[in-house]
Amino acid sequence: MYLSAEEERALSGEMGGALAAAYRVLVAVGELLGAGRLIPVASAHLSGVNYANIGDPGLDFLEGFSASARVSVPTTVNPCGADLYDPPSHVPREFLGRQRRIRDAYLRMGCSESFTCAPYELENSPPPGSHVSWAESSAAVFANSELGLYTNRESGVSALAAAIAGRTPEGGMHLDENRAPGYALEVDPAAPAISGSYLDHQLIAYYAASRTSADVIALVGPRRPPRPAMKLMAAAVGAAGPSSMFVFSDSPPPGVEVERLTPEDLGRLRREMSGPGPIDVRGSMAILGCPFYGREELSLVAGALGNGAARSSPRLFVQTSRAIESAAPSAAASIRGSGATLLRCACYPLSPADEWLGASAIYADSMKAVHYLRKRGANAYLRDSREILAAFSRSGAT
Ligand code: F3S
């Protein structure tokens, strides 16, 4: 891979050990991708924040590396494992202490105090056509599929390297020639997905991504849904497989593998993911906002809770960022006023929150949340947000 004279100097260590380490990562990734050179990035988004995921080895690395490493482009970071700014009493003190040290390491490196998996909501939204380096699969897939950005699905380490160097290898999804569909899922027009339920949109995206390793998926039949549904679909694609982007198409692109999803297939998947019967709130908890809610979704939830009039269970967790809370203060206050728990920097699908609470079942409106919760053995069920809100606010269960 070609490196400029300045990049060669950085790689050699002349400009500091942290920058040299970043270049070593970028060169290794670039060689894997067959990239010809490095290109500047407008921003970076980092994963590797939740203590439940990275543990003590990640914490030790970040504390050591952050002594000298500094980011050189606007850099947002993924959620923590618990809300550090208003910690609920069920979070163990030990966990909070270690999570705070991880937060402080990222802030020391110059990252913004964002702690969100939807960095494109207010904090990190370069213009379409920009090249970025984003970890967090839901955000990367959304960036390529909805925002017109160019990014590979970075790991926490490669995105951190790009944040420090301000560059990324020009390969993979950064090249237009790699952004054509390699797989198509044709959805039977009779399938109820066309009815507009976000659950079905997610199930279609999840099914497609679980069937292919193509970088780009074409969905044939469904129309592009509103942005909140695109966020959920991007998260489902990121959870189910390695694809980096999905597009909508009226007919299968020529020359690509085509599969068909029948109404029966979709019904089967829906039953498998939703579980039986009505929501049973006793001993359960619910998570909304995976990926983190923006202003639009937060206002919809506040409205569904009667703008504070409903009595909600504190086990109804609504996830968003501090920036969105500040931008939508009355919606945030309404949700809190109802008794629900507003989390402003925490990802509960990837934390042991169900263990902290002794919850026997978890309801979520996000296929990604259900995927990861089930992966670690939890009884998790995909339900429409309206159904979850009705069940957890009607009951006032604790
Ligand atoms: Fe975000 Fe956690 Fe879901 S990082 S996309 S809330 S699993």
Side-chain angles (χ1 to χ4, degrees):
M1 186 169 66
Y2 166 79
L3 294 182
S4 69
E6 186 197 344
E7 290 165 349
E8 289 284 6
R9 281 209 318 282
L11 179 65
S12 74
E14 233 179 83
M15 297 158 78
L19 191 59
Y23 270 92
R24 281 199 297 278
V25 170
L26 295 176
V27 168
V29 172
E31 277 166 5
L32 275 176
L33 290 171
R37 60 175 183 157
L38 297 173
I39 51 170
V41 290
S43 75
H45 178 76
L46 310 183
S47 58
V49 179
N50 189 333
Y51 175 69
N53 295 342
I54 67 171
D56 288 330
L59 167 58
D60 291 345
F61 164 76
L62 287 167
E63 287 199 321
F65 196 58
S66 64
S68 59
R70 296 294 176 266
V71 300
S72 66
V73 293
T75 301
T76 44
V77 281
N78 244 13
C80 304
D83 191 332
L84 301 181
Y85 300 93
D86 184 13
S89 57
H90 57 255
V91 184
R93 294 172 71 89
E94 175 84 347
F95 187 98
L96 277 176
R98 285 165 194 253
Q99 186 64 72
R100 284 200 179 100
R101 285 165 58 193
I102 293 170
R103 173 195 60 188
D104 294 346
Y106 280 112
L107 298 183
R108 216 161 24 246
M109 287 192 277
C111 302
S112 77
E113 204 166 352
S114 40
F115 301 107
T116 175
C117 49
Y120 40 82
E121 305 275 13
L122 296 181
E123 292 103 337
N124 190 347
S125 49
S130 302
H131 291 264
V132 299
S133 178
W134 285 10
E136 171 46 43
S137 62
S138 68
V141 175
F142 188 77
N144 286 320
S145 309
E146 174 77 358
L147 302 176
L149 300 176
Y150 289 70
T151 183
N152 286 317
R153 276 177 60 168
E154 302 291 350
S155 68
V157 170
S158 63
L160 178 57
I164 291 167
R167 293 161 166 79
T168 196
E170 189 183 36
M173 296 299 290
H174 289 284
L175 297 170
D176 281 322
E177 66 253 36
N178 295 334
R179 294 170 70 95
Y183 167 89
L185 183 72
E186 195 166 16
V187 181
D188 190 311
I194 311 302
S195 72
S197 158
Y198 289 180
L199 296 191
D200 288 341
H201 282 89
Q202 293 182 74
L203 291 170
I204 290 168
Y206 186 79
Y207 180 84
S210 69
R211 304 285 300 170
T212 183
S213 56
D215 286 330
V216 184
I217 293 169
L219 298 175
V220 182
R223 299 271 154 246
R224 177 180 287 267
R227 181 180 163 113
M230 286 293 288
K231 286 171 66 174
L232 291 162
M233 290 177 81
V237 166
S243 301
S244 299
M245 180 175 174
F246 61 99
V247 299
F248 297 88
S249 164
D250 289 335
S251 55
V256 307
E257 182 197 350
V258 183
E259 273 197 280
R260 199 146 195 270
L261 184 72
T262 65
E264 293 72 35
D265 296 330
L266 189 60
R268 206 175 312 113
L269 194 56
R270 196 187 301 116
R271 282 191 297 279
E272 186 190 327
M273 295 305 167
S274 341
I279 290 179
D280 182 1
V281 295
R282 286 164 308 169
S284 302
M285 60 185 281
I287 303 171
L288 302 178
C290 164
F292 275 17
Y293 277 164
R295 278 177 292 191
E296 187 180 344
E297 299 112 306
L298 213 58
S299 299
L300 284 173
V301 168
L305 292 176
N307 289 314
R311 290 313 311 150
S312 303
S313 162
R315 288 182 173 222
L316 170 61
F317 294 96
V318 181
Q319 302 184 149
T320 190
S321 65
R322 293 167 71 233
I324 294 295
E325 183 194 25
S326 305
S330 63
S334 292
I335 292 169
R336 239 193 249 104
S338 81
T341 306
L342 190 73
L343 298 172
R344 291 89 43 82
C345 69
C347 160
Y348 270 14
L350 298 181
S351 290
D354 50 324
E355 292 169 23
W356 296 336
L357 287 154
S360 53
I362 307 168
Y363 295 93
D365 66 341
S366 158
M367 191 52 236
K368 175 176 179 178
V370 170
H371 172 92
Y372 282 105
L373 287 164
R374 285 191 179 185
K375 220 170 151 186
R376 61 178 181 78
N379 296 318
Y381 303 109
L382 179 68
R383 295 298 176 99
D384 191 279
S385 56
R386 287 161 299 192
E387 187 190 354
I388 292 174
L389 287 166
F392 278 81
S393 54
R394 198 174 42 230
S395 73
T398 54

